[in-house]
Amino acid sequence: MSVRDTLGRPLRDLRVSVTDRCNFRCVYCMPREVFGRDYRFLERRELLSFEEIERLARAFVAHGVEKIRITGGEPLLRRDLERLIEKLAAIDDLDVTLTTNGSLLPQKAQTLRDAGLGRLTVSLDSLDDEVFTTMNDVDFPVERVLAGIDAAAAVGLPVKVNMVVKRGANEDSVLPMARLFRERGHILRFIEYMDVGHSNGWRLDDVVPAAEIVAAIDAELPLEPVAPNYPGEVARRWRYSDGGGEIGVIASVTAPFCGDCTRARLSAEGRLYTCLFGVRGHDLRALVRGDVSDGELREEIGRIWVRRTDRYSEIRSANTAELPKVEMSYIGG
Ligand code: SAM
């Protein structure tokens, strides 16, 4: 059963945030001036339980969702996350994946794999410790993220690496990152810095356009475009002409892909957002904790999706950056 929104877009992907907490304070995502000691994070009882997430996941799958990405905050901070992975991996025809900063992977890679995780994405913004620690703002060294990537690869988990590129912060890291992950055989994806939330003080001038990133790599390591793996794939793919692997670019600012967007997002407290740049979520936790049947839950999700009109990135302008939006750490990256 496939449900379509007002623009004819099916529902295929669900991102589930399992916590709004993170052990990093990346300046472009959770700057410590905002997410400091006094910040009120969600309390445990406010978070969806694994059983509630599983029940919701099954309702989404009934509407055509084929892939669930666990995210946050830092998802590996959520205790016993493996239990959730196990529950989701048991759902037929569902691809379960995870996005992490990699810091806890050395301890967790094997149990995640054993629980049925299919693959994962690790975020890393530079190979230069000075640049990386300035960005993560908790003095976390590059070497430990690389150790996490190696730990995941060693247990047989396919790893992709995500790098957010911000003008003046880490653009010089693009080529070293491309060289290293080409050599190690991991797909590296470059993400344009986006105006999510409000706390990062985003400016259009901070965005390094994907075309500029591709041109810089192509000048040293020639690239050629590759067709998408499936309609609606977020990253545009490029392969090294000499057969040395591929990279991707996620150009949500300079080449928005709202027309193909098949993603819904569930916050850690169970609010459903149909756009990363959404303002008001729909409270699904009230439903799962209330007295509704699985059928009614499914119907409500369908009703929300068919009314969906969001296409924020296509209408983005200098003015829309000021519109109210939720933070990425809350809604899940
Ligand atoms: N903690 C996990 C991690 O580090 O991957 C998962 C959550 S994090 C919010 C998910 C991804 O969103 C990371 O790759 C992060 O770099 C990216 N991200 C956060 N803020 C962003 C922004 N303003 N623009 C583009 N990407 C952003």
Side-chain angles (χ1 to χ4, degrees), residues 21-24 26 28-30 70-75 99-102 121-125 162-165 191-197 200 202 252 328-329 332-333:
R21 293 166 200 256
C22 189
N23 52 344
F24 284 15
C26 297
Y28 57 81
C29 187
M30 291 184 76
I70 310 287
T71 177
E74 172 46 44
T99 299
T100 171
N101 60 26
T121 300
V122 177
S123 306
L124 176 62
D125 295 331
N162 273 357
M163 169 182 178
V164 174
V165 188
I191 307 178
E192 285 179 351
Y193 173 51
M194 293 183 288
D195 50 336
V196 223
N200 64 12
W202 183 88
S252 64
M328 186 112 155
S329 53

Side-chain angles (χ1 to χ4, degrees), residues 63-114:
H63 280 301
V65 162
E66 297 164 346
K67 183 169 97 185
I68 291 190
R69 178 175 295 278
I70 310 287
T71 177
E74 172 46 44
L76 297 185
L77 291 183
R78 178 84 185 250
R79 200 173 334 133
D80 298 330
L81 185 73
E82 298 81 354
R83 265 204 324 112
L84 175 65
I85 305 277
E86 231 167 63
K87 289 177 184 296
L88 298 179
I91 301 176
D92 285 343
D93 303 321
L94 185 65
D95 181 16
V96 183
T97 174
L98 172 100
T99 299
T100 171
N101 60 26
S103 58
L104 297 171
L105 275 177
Q107 300 96 291
K108 295 205 167 238
Q110 186 66 58
T111 51
L112 289 168
R113 172 82 175 148
D114 294 345

Side-chain angles (χ1 to χ4, degrees), residues 27-28 135 164-171 193 200 206-208:
V27 290
Y28 57 81
M135 287 181 93
V164 174
V165 188
K166 186 174 176 205
R167 180 80 72 201
N170 64 339
E171 59 203 296
Y193 173 51
N200 64 12
D206 295 333
V207 179
V208 180

Side-chain angles (χ1 to χ4, degrees), residues 48-69:
L48 289 180
S49 69
F50 293 159
E51 288 68 25
E52 289 166 342
I53 294 175
E54 181 195 1
R55 186 168 168 221
L56 283 165
R58 289 185 182 274
F60 277 93
V61 168
H63 280 301
V65 162
E66 297 164 346
K67 183 169 97 185
I68 291 190
R69 178 175 295 278

